[in-house]
Amino acid sequence: MMNVQRAYDTSTEALRLLKSLFNGEIDIADFRFEINEYSQTMAKNLFRDSFPRFNQNLRDKFTNIFLRYCYNEKNVQVNEFWKFTNYKDFWIEMKNFHDYIYSRRMNLSEVVQFFETNLLTNKRKVKLDFVERKVIERLDKNPNILNKDLANELNISEKKISNIINSLKSRGVFLGCFADYSPIDAYEFFGFTEIENSNNELKFLDKITLFPDFKLFHGLSSQEIKQPYIYQVINKKIVCNTEILNRGLSFQDWISVNKSKKTSKNLNREKDLDDFYVPTSSKNHVLQLMKNCETDYRRPNIKKIAKENNVSIRTLFRIKSKLKDRGLIQPQIIVENDELMALVIISPRELLEFYNKVPFVKSYEVQNMETNSKWFSFMSIFASDFAFINSKLKNHSEIFLVVGKKAVNLISQSNQKIYTN
C-alpha cells in the first residue's frame, strides 16, 4: 500500500513539474535538472498524456523531442520540430497550440508554420511574467477579489500583489468597468467634429487622435445632441480575452478553430431601473464617479469628487454600491497596453468574429440623425496581426491607428450640498 502511495506522489510531483514548464513558471534548464530525478518512462507517459488532442504522429514527434532534449536520448531521431527547441517559449507554445489552435484538419506543414510564425518572428507578445499572468487571470475571473485573498491564492505577499497591480496599470492593463449611462439620462456619443459647451450640457470629452490625420471625439452629455456629425451610442460591448493576452495567441491562428463565443459585457436594460432616480443636482458627481470607475474600479478618486461637488465621501460610496447592484457599473479588465496596436474600425456591421480572437475589444453601436446604425470598434491587437486583419476588412470598413488620446474634463462645478437617501 505504501509503495502505491509513493508511486502516486511521485507521479503527481512530476506532473506538477510538467505543468510548470508549459505555463512558463520554470526555466527549461531548471526543468531538465529536476525532471531527471524521475523515471524516464514515467515522464515520457505523463508528457504524452498531456497532449491527448494531437493525432498519433504529432504526439510521437513531440514526445521524441521531449526525450531527446530533456533526457539526452540519442536514439531518438531528430524531426521537424527540433530546430525550435532553442527558443525560450517553445514548450509554452507547444501547449498553447495543443489547447487552443490545433485541429485534426491541419497537415504537418501547417503545424510547422505555426511555430515558425510564433517563435521565429516573436513580435506580438506582451511582456508579462508568470505571476503577472496569474494576477490578470484571477482578476478576470473574480474582479471583486481582495488583494489579501489574491496573495493567499498565489502564495506571495499582499504588498507584492499591490505592486504587481500598480505595475500592470501603469502599462495599460487594469481593472476598470463597463458603464451604462443611459438609465441616468446621460448620452454617450462620438463626433467627427468638436462641439461647443455653450449650454453646459457637455460633461466629458475625450479627443482621440488617429492615423492618418484624423480626430474622433468621445463624450458624455446631459442632453441629446442632434447634429449630423454626432453619433449617439445605442449599444456597446466589452470583451477581454485574458488567455489570448497572456499566451500571445495570434488572430490568424484562430481562423480554423471553431470556439464558442465568450460572453461580453453589454448594455443591460432588462432590469427595472425606475427606482434609480438621479436628480439633476446630483448628476454631476454620479457621472464623475462612473467615469472614474471606468479607469479604476477599485479606487475611483472619491476624495476629489467629494471636494469638487461638496458631497460626502460616505454618500459616494453608497452611490457606487447602488450602481454596482443595478448593473450600471460592472468590473472589467481593460487593456490599453502600449505593446499592443490600438485600432479604431468603423464598420457597417458588428464584428462578432473578433470578440474571442483578439486580446481586447470595446464595440459601440452608434446612430446619428441621418443614417442607419454603424459600429465603432476599439481593438487592442498584436502588431503581427494587423496586415491580416486589414486585408480582411479594408474593402468594407475604415481602419485607423490610434496614436493619442487626451481627456478633457468639462463637467461643471457645483457648490450645492447634496444629500441622498
Side-chain angles (χ1 to χ4, degrees), residues 139-377:
L139 287 176
D140 187 44
K141 291 178 181 177
N142 181 11
N144 296 307
I145 190 172
L146 299 175
N147 282 5
K148 179 181 178 181
D149 295 332
L150 189 54
N152 289 336
E153 283 189 19
L154 299 179
N155 197 28
I156 57 179
S157 70
E158 191 172 345
K159 182 178 180 180
K160 176 72 171 176
I161 288 292
S162 180
N163 289 340
I164 290 172
I165 290 175
N166 289 336
S167 175
L168 288 171
K169 183 179 179 182
S170 69
R171 292 152 59 197
V173 181
F174 58 92
L175 185 65
C177 81
F178 175 93
D180 182 2
Y181 296 99
S182 56
I184 61 173
D185 294 327
Y187 297 87
E188 190 172 8
F189 68 90
F190 288 91
F192 295 117
T193 181
E194 194 166 1
I195 61 176
E196 295 183 2
N197 197 28
S198 55
N199 297 324
N200 202 33
E201 62 190 26
L202 189 60
K203 299 302 180 181
F204 288 98
L205 189 68
D206 293 332
K207 181 168 65 175
I208 305 167
T209 304
L210 307 176
F211 177 85
D213 189 18
F214 189 54
K215 297 285 192 300
L216 182 64
F217 298 90
H218 177 214
L220 287 173
S221 173
S222 60
Q223 297 182 26
E224 189 173 7
I225 303 172
K226 294 184 178 180
Q227 295 181 15
Y229 296 105
I230 299 299
Y231 290 80
Q232 183 181 327
V233 175
I234 58 177
N235 186 21
K236 68 178 179 181
K237 300 180 179 181
I238 298 179
V239 181
C240 180
N241 295 297
T242 55
E243 285 183 343
I244 292 176
L245 174 70
N246 285 342
R247 296 180 178 272
L249 298 171
S250 168
F251 182 90
Q252 299 173 71
D253 295 333
W254 291 85
I255 297 306
S256 62
V257 183
N258 183 20
K259 292 280 185 176
S260 60
K261 298 294 181 185
K262 179 178 179 179
T263 303
S264 60
K265 289 183 170 62
N266 52 27
L267 296 183
N268 183 0
R269 296 192 174 96
E270 296 178 358
K271 295 183 180 180
D272 183 8
L273 299 170
D274 293 339
D275 62 334
F276 192 76
Y277 172 68
V278 178
T280 302
S281 58
S282 301
K283 187 169 290 187
N284 282 352
H285 64 257
V286 174
L287 285 176
Q288 279 184 278
L289 177 61
M290 295 177 72
K291 193 71 174 176
N292 265 246
C293 286
E294 283 194 279
T295 56
D296 193 338
Y297 178 78
R298 285 187 173 180
R299 296 182 179 178
N301 202 335
I302 295 286
K303 289 184 179 180
K304 181 181 179 182
I305 299 170
K307 182 178 180 181
E308 290 182 353
N309 293 277
N310 199 21
V311 61
S312 73
I313 291 176
R314 183 179 178 185
T315 294
L316 290 173
F317 275 116
R318 286 205 303 267
I319 292 173
K320 182 186 177 186
S321 180
K322 289 181 179 180
L323 291 169
K324 176 187 173 184
D325 291 344
R326 287 162 174 77
L328 301 190
I329 56 174
Q330 304 171 49
Q332 167 73 55
I333 293 286
I334 306 295
V335 179
E336 297 176 352
N337 183 273
D338 289 340
E339 298 170 65
L340 298 172
M341 181 177 286
L343 301 179
V344 175
I345 301 175
I346 301 176
S347 59
R349 63 177 180 85
E350 185 178 6
L351 302 177
L352 290 169
E353 66 270 27
F354 285 81
Y355 285 174
N356 68 332
K357 294 183 176 68
V358 298
F360 183 77
V361 184
K362 184 185 290 185
S363 289
Y364 300 83
E365 185 180 10
V366 300
Q367 190 170 30
N368 74 348
M369 56 190 295
E370 295 182 347
T371 64
N372 294 326
S373 66
K374 58 177 62 179
W375 287 82
F376 292 0
S377 299

Side-chain angles (χ1 to χ4, degrees), residues 45 47-64 104:
N45 291 336
F47 180 90
R48 186 180 176 84
D49 291 346
S50 298
F51 300 91
R53 294 180 60 238
F54 283 157
N55 62 36
Q56 183 175 343
N57 182 43
L58 273 183
R59 290 177 75 187
D60 288 343
K61 286 180 179 294
F62 284 122
T63 302
N64 288 343
R104 289 184 177 268

Side-chain angles (χ1 to χ4, degrees), residues 18 27-28 42 109 116 152 213 240 315 375-376 398 409:
L18 281 169
D27 184 82
I28 183 61
M42 180 184 68
S109 63
E116 288 179 345
N152 289 336
D213 189 18
C240 180
T315 294
W375 287 82
F376 292 0
E398 298 176 83
N409 189 350

